[in-house]
């Protein structure tokens, strides 16, 4: 199956900048109609960006920090299995594990057209299963502040240190389609998330199952529903700084011991992702070229970890290694198709 890349613009007809097998009009309508509304926190300072913006500010290095490519872009970024031990390193290089660069602020979606990267996979099975992953990118993930010492009466006897920061941040929300009907969604938080099933009667997604927090295997309390607004757009809330997605505003605990970690979410800046979607029909066996060439890169999208002395307390380094992205379509949904 040849790849296709589509740009879906608000109030503009479907445009295909590549001649390869564009997806059907009915599937394009579903992708646009069910794309999420993401609320960025009112205090958010680390905004999303395009992949192109990020690549302008990094160089490619090996695990030994040898520079192997400077000035990459989506057309030239190194690709293939040999890139699995590489990473995109921030420029200028970070002088400390929690140092910040101006470009980590990303691109404010109220001022810049930032796409949501949509990857679809058609399993061509008896159930007509198609998975659609809406993936958003941020140049920087600000982790959490932790007291390295003893908390006393709400104050830290010691010092406060951020940890779990990382350069590059991929987030995603997915829907599963069966025979041209949306039946499920998956809301990704950090390294865990929850499945919800669509209910035609209540006109929302209802909680089905959730993963444990992989930090210390606690049971996370997930919202009971994913509500839809302005049609069928899931209303999601991006955690302040760290961008994990929840389907309800407020405070969400995901680590309780030995430290206490919360995600703070609220209605700040609305990001109507359907206004700009970059849609790719994904095939894991395809060697991508042209504007999709960057999809062949299999390394990490940020610096390697640093400042791990605090890991015994926090469970993570001050600067965690950047996330990997390949393959772009997550395997979050269980394989439950039966021959019919």
């Amino acid at each position: 199956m040849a790849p296709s890349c589509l740009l879906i613009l608000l109030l503009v007809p479907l445009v295909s900048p590549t001649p390869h097998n564009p997806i059907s009009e009915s599937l394009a309508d579903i992708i646009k109609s069910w794309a999420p509304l993401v609320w960025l926190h009112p205090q958010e300072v680390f905004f999303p960006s395009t992949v192109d913006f990020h690549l302008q500010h990094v160089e490619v290095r090996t695990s030994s920090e040898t520079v192997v490519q400077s000035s990459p872009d989506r057309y030239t970024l190194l690709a293939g299995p040999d890139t699995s031990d590489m990473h995109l390193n921030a420029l200028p290089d970070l002088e400390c594990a929690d140092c910040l660069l101006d470009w980590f602020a990303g691109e404010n979606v109220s001022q810049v057209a930032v796409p949501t990267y949509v990857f679809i996979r058609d399993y061509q099975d008896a159930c007509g299963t198609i998975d659609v992953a809406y993936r958003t990118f941020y140049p920087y993930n600000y982790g959490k502040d932790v007291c390295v010492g003893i908390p006393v009466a709400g104050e830290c006897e010691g010092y406060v240190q951020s940890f779990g920061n990382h350069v590059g941040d991929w987030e995603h929300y997915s829907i599963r389609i069966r025979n041209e009907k949306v039946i499920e969604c998956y809301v990704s938080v950090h390294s865990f998330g929850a499945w919800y099933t669509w209910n035609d009667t209540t006109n929302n997604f209802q909680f089905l199952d959730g993963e444990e927090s992989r930090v210390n295997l606690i049971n996370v309390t997930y919202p009971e529903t994913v509500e839809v607004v302005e049609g069928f757009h899931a209303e999601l809330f991006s955690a302040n700084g760290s961008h994990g997605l929840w389907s309800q505003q407020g405070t969400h605990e995901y680590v309780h011991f030995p430290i206490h970690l919360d995600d703070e979410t609220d209605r700040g800046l609305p990001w109507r992702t359907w206004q700009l979607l970059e849609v790719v029909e994904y095939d894991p066996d395809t060697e991508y070229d042209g504007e999709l060439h960057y999809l062949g890169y299999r390394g990490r999208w940020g610096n390697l970890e640093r400042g791990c002395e605090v890991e015994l307390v926090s469970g993570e380094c001050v600067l965690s290694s950047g996330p990997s992205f390949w393959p772009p379509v997550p395997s979050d949904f269980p394989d439950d198709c039966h021959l019919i």
Side-chain angles (χ1 to χ4, degrees):
M1 176 172 55
S4 62
C5 177
L6 310 176
L7 292 182
I8 302 178
L9 306 178
L10 184 65
L11 302 180
V12 177
L14 190 64
V15 177
S16 174
T18 62
H20 305 293
N21 298 332
I23 62 175
S24 68
E25 184 175 347
S26 60
L27 179 55
D29 287 342
I30 293 175
I31 292 171
K32 184 175 180 179
S33 298
W34 292 78
L37 167 64
V38 178
W39 287 100
L40 301 176
H41 194 274
Q43 298 174 357
E44 184 63 74
V45 295
F46 300 103
F47 289 97
S49 83
T50 64
V51 164
D52 309 82
F53 175 89
H54 189 68
L55 292 176
Q56 291 171 10
H57 296 283
V58 298
E59 62 187 7
V60 183
R61 296 186 181 185
T62 66
S63 57
S64 62
E65 299 291 3
T66 300
V67 178
V68 291
Q69 185 182 23
S70 58
S71 303
D73 58 35
R74 66 158 61 208
Y75 298 91
T76 63
L77 181 62
L78 294 176
D82 291 343
T83 63
S84 60
D85 69 340
M86 297 179 184
H87 64 280
L88 304 181
N89 203 84
L91 294 175
D93 204 355
L94 301 181
E95 296 182 358
C96 61
D98 55 359
C99 288
L100 300 176
L101 300 174
D102 290 343
W103 63 269
F104 288 172
E107 300 174 285
N108 190 314
V109 296
S110 68
Q111 304 168 3
V112 180
V114 177
T116 293
Y117 299 91
V118 183
F119 298 92
I120 62 175
R121 186 168 184 180
D122 187 344
Y123 292 88
Q124 300 183 357
D125 59 18
C127 302
T129 305
I130 299 175
D131 286 344
V132 180
Y134 300 89
R135 305 199 67 160
T136 52
F137 182 77
Y138 301 75
Y140 192 75
N141 175 104
Y142 186 87
K144 305 299 178 184
D145 292 328
V146 62
C147 175
V148 182
I150 302 174
V152 177
E155 299 293 331
C156 178
E157 294 293 334
Y159 65 95
V160 175
Q161 174 66 62
S162 66
F163 72 93
N165 308 304
H166 52 84
V167 179
D169 185 24
W170 283 103
E171 304 293 342
H172 75 269
Y173 164 77
S174 303
I175 59 173
R176 168 155 285 186
I177 302 168
R178 284 270 166 82
N179 296 320
E180 298 191 343
K181 177 179 173 60
V182 176
I183 63 165
E184 289 179 304
C185 75
Y186 176 83
V187 181
S188 174
V189 182
H190 295 296
S191 58
F192 50 93
W195 294 268
Y196 295 79
T197 56
W198 177 254
N199 188 305
D200 280 322
T201 301
T202 57
N203 205 48
N204 62 10
F205 292 98
Q206 299 188 344
F207 179 78
L208 175 64
D209 193 19
E211 296 171 302
E212 297 175 321
S213 167
R214 296 169 191 170
V215 177
N216 57 5
L217 299 181
I218 70 166
N219 290 321
V220 178
T221 300
Y222 293 99
E224 288 298 315
T225 63
V226 177
E227 301 299 330
V228 295
V229 295
E230 302 181 32
F232 293 101
H233 303 294
E235 186 177 35
L236 303 177
F237 298 84
S238 174
N240 187 24
S242 60
H243 312 130
L245 295 174
W246 300 87
S247 62
Q248 185 179 66
Q249 68 184 111
T251 300
H252 303 276
E253 180 188 48
Y254 65 94
V255 173
H256 185 73
F257 182 83
I259 58 175
H260 183 83
L261 296 182
D262 293 329
D263 271 346
E264 299 294 339
T265 65
D266 202 353
R267 288 185 175 87
L269 179 64
W271 185 10
R272 292 174 172 85
T273 63
W274 59 92
Q275 293 180 356
L276 185 58
L277 303 174
E278 185 173 306
V279 183
V280 176
E281 187 170 11
Y282 176 72
D283 182 349
D285 298 320
T286 293
E287 182 175 337
Y288 292 90
D289 57 14
E291 62 189 353
L292 301 181
H293 176 78
Y294 79 97
L295 295 179
Y297 173 70
R298 303 186 186 183
R300 294 187 174 275
W301 282 72
N303 294 40
L304 297 182
E305 64 182 26
R306 292 172 60 183
C308 297
E309 301 81 7
V310 73
E311 190 172 10
L312 290 176
V313 177
S314 66
E316 294 187 69
C317 301
V318 174
L319 183 71
S320 301
S321 294
S324 58
F325 173 63
W326 193 92
V329 176
S331 56
D332 295 319
F333 292 101
D335 184 12
D336 57 354
C337 177
H338 303 285
L339 294 176
I340 55 177

